[in-house]
Amino acid sequence: VIAVTSGLGLAVALLSGAGLAYEVLLIRVFAIEQFHHFAAMAISIAMLGFGLSGTAVAFADPAAERARQWLIRSSAAAAPLLAASPLLARTIPLDAARIPWDPGQWIRLAALYLTLAAPFTAVSLAMLLAIRLALTRPGGLYGATFLGSAAGSVLTIMALMLMPADRAVFLPACAAAAGVFLVTRRPGPVLWSLAGAGLALAGLVGAAPELRVNPYKELPRVAAFPEARRVADRHGPLGWVAAMDAPAFRYAPGLSLQYGGAFPRQAGLFVDGEAVGAVSDLSGEAGEFVRWLPAALPFALAPRRVAVLGTDGGLGLEIALGHGADSVLAVELYPGIVELARRLAPPASPSPFADPRVRVAIGDARAILNRETGPFDLVTIGGGAGVGGLHALSEDFAHTSEAYQLYLARLAPGGTLAVTQGISLPPRAAVRSILTVAGAVRRIGGKAVDRGLIVAHSWSTVTVLARPGGFDADDVRALQAWTESRGVDLDWYPGVDTAALHPVNVLGSPDLILAATAATRSAEAAAAFADGYPFTVRPASDARPYPQHFLPAGTTLEMLRQDRGALLPFAEWGPIAAAAAVVQAAVLGGLCILLPAFARRGRRPPLGRWARLVGYFGLIGFAYMGAEIAAIQQLQLLLGHPVYAVAGLLALLLSASGLGAIWSDRQPDRHGAPVAALLGLTLVACALWLLALVEALLPASFWWRTLAGLVCLAPVGFLMGTPFAWGLRRLTREGDGSVGWAWASNAFASVVAAPLATLVAMERGSPAVLGLAAAAYLMAAALYHRAAGYPPA
Amino acid sequence: MGPGQADRTAAERHEMVRQQIVALGVSDTATLRAMRTVPRHEFVPAEVRRQAYGDHPLPIGYGQTISQPYMVAFMTELVRPRRGMRVLEVGTGSGYQAAVLAEAGATVFTVEIIGALADSAGERLRRLGYTGVSVRHADGHAGWPEAAPFDAVIVTAAAGYVPPALVDQLEPGGRLVIPVGSIYGVQNLVLVEKGAQGRISTRTLLPVRFVPLVSGLR
């Protein structure tokens, strides 16, 4: 006999934690095996397993004893499925790049979805059936699912610090196996769980096959070079950093075509299989090499105190040191890059990270420059990973308008901000940089913007320089001498006669000059230019931190319509994958709600009540996910570190929701509608003021900011945990499968909401997502109020 | 191949040139003549031969492709082919681009990193009578120093940067065409011109996608 005890609560928490941990770890694994956007899509579809469990319960509507049997079986199945799923997934040879035209890939994709969805279905079924047993007080067990998930999110990050993602992915199976002992001691289920745990342990010690890195990434390509060998790895929550030594590997973004000197021997550095820099042997003649990279342009102005945001494995520092900088602040997100760069530096060419003039700061550039006040003669930053639209969905607070204002504020009088990035045709990122930099100079009250902006381009890069106090004639002469000797063109500088320019590197259109002209004329002219440009080039902001998103939705649709997807290679894949996830989840979720409802019309609640039920739980599922995504996006800016902040905030939100759910058990039914309405109004306030509050708090110390994050998120999370528990309490008294419908509609709506919230944030900003979540909670409150008195006690 | 089939492929080539190449602005006479002459279907695997004259690239094995006809014509026109000019091609693939250049009158030195492709392309070019093409199995980043200098260099695979050796091996007044950019994703097709005094200038022409230029022999 299964009783609703603290043991069952702990079992539910373990299963829930295992489910969340598996989700997070799968995203890490898929980020290596595929690309980030595909990972998010695949996992979101797998999460449909949560909804499927609800559908199964709604359809079968098992009586109490049968429900107990199901609970035992699904708990027992969780561990083996969690252990087998990652193994099976590795055997499916999916090539996601071929999905648009190869029907065979669709079959593999479907197989992958099923493989991934199975453990989520088992975990979710066990949680749902346990909650169903707690007839009058479901909040306690529902709260336990939140608390388990919160613990799962934190423990996952800790696990990723200790072991690679492809091993850590087997840990959730162990947690699930432990949960079974709290549910039953019957030999059958226990043996199944032990088998799952055994399989997981084998995976944990490395018996599983190695991950297959996506063959389109740079790492496998470089691995095919003669004499190539992987010399070191570092694993962490941020990503997998690998170093590859290959004599034929070369990393020289935009190297001047005038350079005829020696090329340094390099070891490539890769994060999740994508090249991010190189460790270079700059001994002897190869030391000259760094003076011929376009990122060296601002060093023609002889800065002494330099901040390098993003180190390219040390190349950025070598440029600064090679030009005689006295002090360099090296800001690097990945600790593994610094560690490997130090370790792999050849004896004849010591690592720049070990140079006494260099101070290394690990973390997010924005957070570090919030506390490092400088002042600097030069702040230099790369343009981010804007390759082929693969990163269009990547949140990046380092290239927003507010970030550039911060960098400018950290400059000494006469200091320069430099942004260098690869060029696209037609220019997109470069045009956005010009508009963003000029706008930032204007916002911080710089003198005439036309004197404070310089734009230069090489055959493959664009560099934008900004100085709030303006550049003088000597500066311009120094830059002209540098660019002329390197075959680089100056497109804009104070006093430029654009008609007299004769570029060495012809781009085919004068977009850079037009952008600089508009950007320096006035804010209105810059906005008008951006509006008339064929790509989305308005500056990214903290509310819409997507600096690599350039294609309007209409353009993407037009590309999809082209014969054989002729233009698809030029599309932005992140938004396409997110949109595909929305459509797939909406269709599959809709079918999984509607078909059983039709098939079981005689045994489901009357249509009106059924629709209200599905509407209520669907709305709060949608709202919870939307509010979670938007609030965490804004608050991670407050805490600074993209992974640890998200994990911490997620744990806080889930814990607060768990406590809210438990608290709701002790409150009368009539409080449900007012609390949901209060939640909606709180989110309206968040939509209006949270981001402004975050930006105002950025200069505060870390502990004050952490406290502020806690104060902001905890009450909201607490309230967010109540509507589901309250709604559920009404339903558990019924024997018509209503709990299953509630669970299914809530889960399916959450799955649709996750990618949809990302798309809305990209197009309209995170405050808009919070606004939508608020509206959904307010509608849910109205539905709850309308259904007051149901069911009769 | 019977006369009927030869007529059919000739007709397909003419149609390909008219619809996919001339219509998009390629006008160089030698290039168009070469595109009408070289039997593209001989350069693709049997299983995709029926699609040989379609407006798209095709797989040729080893993860490599034969470029879309327009791209071959566009890059050929860019190097201004003429009789007797020496052209270095990096990325032989099936040998189609080399054959087009040879048909346009050039002496072609072509380098392929994948041994099996270099062998099959060499055999194919010999069989089809393209004696002015020399094929070498080598790392394209180093060019072909013994045969340098070249009037033109065509790189038919994406590189992360312009290999200095290729610029070095370019004759003053010569032209180098290369897709440059990330290994995956979108690259830019760049035309590098070396002036009479050795001064380098570039023109970024259009966004493209090529298979990567892989260093190292296989």
Side-chain angles (χ1 to χ4, degrees):
Chain A
V1 173
I2 299 170
V4 181
T5 61
S6 56
L8 184 62
L10 186 55
V12 164
L14 279 166
L15 286 166
S16 175
L20 187 124
Y22 188 54
E23 180 191 354
V24 173
L25 290 163
L26 272 183
I27 289 175
R28 271 284 59 246
V29 167
F30 274 109
I32 296 169
E33 287 199 318
Q34 302 285 343
F35 288 101
H36 284 83
H37 58 266
F38 177 81
M41 181 181 81
I43 309 306
S44 83
I45 300 307
M47 295 297 286
L48 285 172
F50 271 77
L52 286 174
S53 66
T55 302
V57 170
F59 193 78
D61 191 21
E65 187 46 41
R66 200 158 156 233
R68 287 188 172 88
Q69 295 300 327
W70 278 31
L71 168 56
I72 291 169
R73 285 176 190 156
S74 54
S75 306
L81 287 172
L82 281 166
S85 171
L87 287 173
L88 289 172
R90 278 179 216 180
T91 65
I92 299 171
L94 175 73
D95 182 350
R98 291 165 62 184
I99 287 173
W101 66 83
D102 182 355
Q105 300 299 328
W106 285 95
I107 296 167
R108 294 172 188 180
L109 184 65
L112 186 68
Y113 283 172
L114 285 174
T115 306
L116 299 180
F120 290 117
T121 309
V123 164
S124 171
L125 192 57
M127 291 193 299
L128 169 58
L129 290 166
I131 289 169
R132 195 166 175 269
L133 291 176
L135 293 176
T136 54
R137 290 191 164 189
L141 283 177
Y142 185 59
T145 68
F146 278 118
L147 295 173
S149 295
S153 70
V154 173
L155 291 173
T156 303
I157 298 300
M158 291 168 69
L160 285 171
M161 290 175 178
L162 299 173
M163 64 183 82
D166 60 331
R167 292 191 187 188
V169 77
F170 293 100
L171 279 173
C174 300
V180 172
F181 290 98
L182 298 164
V183 175
T184 183
R185 299 288 162 86
R186 287 187 204 166
V190 167
L191 280 176
W192 273 107
S193 290
L194 286 175
L199 194 60
L201 285 172
L204 268 173
V205 297
E210 270 212 350
L211 291 185
R212 286 171 296 130
V213 180
N214 187 306
Y216 300 103
K217 291 186 174 182
E218 281 123 333
L219 183 69
R221 299 284 177 184
V222 176
F225 287 10
E227 301 170 47
R229 61 194 178 96
R230 208 159 80 205
V231 287
D233 290 288
R234 286 295 175 273
H235 294 274
L238 279 169
W240 166 48
V241 180
M244 184 74 76
D245 184 36
F249 174 79
R250 295 172 185 91
Y251 183 82
L255 178 67
S256 167
L257 299 178
Q258 312 292 334
Y259 180 63
F263 208 99
R265 172 81 186 261
Q266 295 178 314
L269 292 172
F270 305 82
V271 172
D272 290 345
E274 298 181 46
V276 295
V279 181
S280 306
D281 180 354
L282 295 174
S283 57
E285 290 179 12
E288 180 68 8
F289 161 80
V290 296
R291 304 179 74 85
W292 295 79
L293 293 166
L297 171 65
F299 291 92
L301 303 173
R304 316 305 298 179
R305 297 161 294 177
V306 180
V308 178
L309 312 183
T311 62
D312 278 4
L315 203 55
L317 308 181
E318 298 281 14
I319 293 173
L321 297 174
H323 287 82
D326 293 332
S327 68
V328 181
L329 174 68
V331 179
E332 177 56 63
L333 183 61
Y334 299 96
I337 286 182
V338 177
E339 194 186 335
L340 293 187
R342 278 187 168 138
R343 193 179 132 192
L344 298 174
S349 179
S351 170
F353 288 103
D355 191 289
R357 291 168 290 175
V358 173
R359 193 158 50 87
V360 180
I362 302 290
D364 172 66
R366 185 86 176 267
I368 288 168
L369 277 210
N370 263 315
R371 64 169 193 262
E372 294 277 354
T373 53
F376 303 101
D377 300 320
L378 172 66
V379 173
T380 177
I381 185 168
V387 180
L390 291 171
H391 296 271
L393 275 186
S394 301
E395 294 165 17
D396 180 0
F397 288 100
H399 288 281
T400 65
S401 179
E402 294 85 349
Y404 284 13
Q405 291 171 53
L406 171 69
Y407 307 153
L408 290 168
R410 292 294 176 259
L411 296 175
T416 306
L417 168 66
V419 184
T420 298
Q421 60 208 309
I423 198 164
S424 54
L425 206 68
R428 278 154 266 180
V431 168
R432 176 172 278 159
S433 283
I434 291 168
L435 299 177
T436 309
V437 167
V441 171
R442 189 172 281 115
R443 283 207 184 87
I444 67 161
K447 291 183 184 172
V449 180
D450 62 336
R451 287 186 47 226
L453 186 75
I454 286 176
V455 180
H457 78 270
S458 71
W459 59 272
S460 70
T461 60
V462 177
T463 299
V464 182
L465 305 181
R467 181 177 288 178
F471 294 96
D472 61 27
D474 288 341
D475 297 324
V476 173
R477 272 194 292 276
L479 292 168
Q480 281 173 327
W482 193 98
T483 52
E484 204 165 306
S485 62
R486 266 79 172 172
V488 172
D489 294 295
L490 278 175
D491 301 289
W492 182 269
Y493 52 88
V496 65
D497 175 4
T498 55
L501 294 174
H502 298 291
V504 175
N505 305 290
V506 178
L507 295 177
S509 71
D511 294 319
L512 298 178
I513 294 171
L514 295 174
T517 306
T520 51
R521 186 178 299 145
S522 66
E524 294 72 25
F529 177 83
D531 289 343
Y533 205 69
F535 295 93
T536 304
V537 290
R538 272 187 177 255
S541 65
D542 285 348
R544 291 169 66 183
Y546 301 98
Q548 301 300 336
H549 168 53
F550 302 104
L551 282 185
T555 307
T556 302
L557 289 173
E558 187 58 37
M559 286 178 159
L560 287 168
R561 280 193 211 106
Q562 294 289 323
D563 183 36
R564 279 175 57 88
L567 292 176
L568 269 183
F570 306 104
E572 290 180 347
W573 283 98
I576 289 175
V582 170
V583 172
Q584 290 177 94
V587 170
L588 292 173
L591 288 174
C592 290
I593 289 278
L594 294 175
L595 290 182
F598 179 76
R600 301 285 284 177
R601 57 187 178 278
R603 293 194 54 195
R604 63 157 160 70
L607 187 61
R609 193 170 73 77
W610 178 85
R612 277 199 299 277
L613 182 157
V614 169
Y616 175 79
F617 285 96
L619 280 168
I620 61 176
F622 177 88
Y624 193 101
M625 189 57 77
E628 175 189 320
I629 287 174
I632 287 181
Q633 185 187 93
Q634 295 187 4
L635 288 170
Q636 67 168 296
L637 175 63
L638 184 69
L639 298 191
H641 203 289
V643 167
Y644 303 123
V646 169
L649 290 165
L650 184 61
L652 172 64
L653 184 79
L654 293 170
S655 304
S657 294
L659 295 176
I662 293 167
W663 172 79
S664 71
D665 269 350
R666 290 158 182 77
Q667 306 304 313
D669 274 5
R670 66 177 185 281
H671 287 178
V675 169
L678 174 65
L679 174 56
L681 294 174
T682 307
L683 288 174
V684 169
C686 288
L688 294 173
W689 298 303
L690 180 61
L691 192 57
L693 181 67
V694 165
E695 285 169 346
L697 287 166
L698 283 178
S701 75
F702 175 77
W703 296 112
W704 279 114
R705 284 182 283 123
T706 304
L707 182 65
L710 187 75
V711 169
C712 288
L713 199 59
V716 178
F718 185 86
L719 294 176
M720 284 164 66
T722 59
F724 190 93
W726 253 310
L728 212 56
R729 193 164 69 194
R730 286 181 171 178
L731 301 176
T732 46
R733 299 171 197 151
E734 294 301 293
D736 55 4
S738 293
V739 175
W741 294 117
W743 189 267
S745 50
N746 187 266
F748 287 133
S750 304
V751 176
V752 173
L756 189 60
T758 307
L759 287 172
V760 173
M762 197 174 67
E763 294 298 329
R764 292 285 178 267
S766 54
V769 180
L770 284 170
L772 285 176
Y777 273 126
L778 289 170
M779 283 192 277
L783 279 176
Y784 189 96
H785 179 71
R786 193 171 165 198
Y790 176 84
Chain B
M1 181 193 293
Q5 196 182 354
D7 289 349
R8 187 174 55 77
T9 59
E12 282 183 301
R13 277 196 296 283
H14 277 74
E15 200 58 15
M16 170 189 83
V17 170
R18 190 179 66 81
Q19 288 186 350
Q20 303 170 31
I21 297 171
V22 174
L24 293 179
V26 175
S27 59
D28 178 68
T29 312
T31 301
L32 296 177
R33 191 184 63 242
M35 295 295 294
R36 286 193 191 101
T37 309
V38 178
R40 183 175 163 94
H41 61 278
E42 295 280 358
F43 291 85
V44 300
E47 59 269 24
V48 293
R49 194 157 286 171
R50 287 201 305 182
Q51 303 168 50
Y53 296 99
D55 185 17
H56 45 70
L58 287 168
I60 56 171
Y62 304 94
Q64 308 297 303
T65 58
I66 179 173
S67 296
Q68 180 187 16
Y70 169 73
M71 193 51 59
V72 174
F74 185 69
M75 292 178 73
T76 306
E77 182 179 58
L78 279 174
V79 300
R80 297 172 179 159
R82 60 187 185 279
R83 194 151 298 281
M85 79 184 294
R86 294 163 66 83
V87 180
L88 169 67
E89 185 201 16
V90 177
T92 312
S94 67
Y96 180 63
Q97 174 73 72
V100 169
L101 287 164
E103 191 67 48
T107 302
V108 184
F109 299 84
T110 179
V111 183
E112 172 56 52
I113 197 78
I114 298 171
L117 283 179
D119 291 344
S120 63
E123 187 280 323
R124 184 178 298 115
L125 289 162
R126 270 194 304 279
R127 176 168 56 82
L128 294 172
Y130 291 104
T131 53
V133 180
S134 306
V135 183
R136 175 186 270 190
H137 173 213
D139 178 356
H141 282 274
W144 193 322
E146 303 87 342
F150 301 102
D151 300 300
V153 177
I154 281 189
V155 183
T156 53
Y161 70 110
V162 179
L166 303 187
V167 180
D168 281 350
Q169 292 169 24
L170 198 59
E171 188 87 77
R175 308 182 120 206
L176 183 154
V177 185
I178 184 170
V180 177
S182 163
I183 285 179
Y184 61 85
V186 180
Q187 302 104 27
N188 292 325
L189 191 65
V190 176
L191 172 66
V192 179
E193 294 175 286
K194 195 182 230 182
Q197 306 304 318
R199 181 181 160 81
I200 307 294
S201 62
T202 72
R203 269 196 279 161
T204 305
L205 300 168
L206 74 167
V208 292
R209 286 195 83 155
F210 279 80
V211 295
L213 171 58
V214 181
S215 283
L217 301 182
R218 280 192 254 172

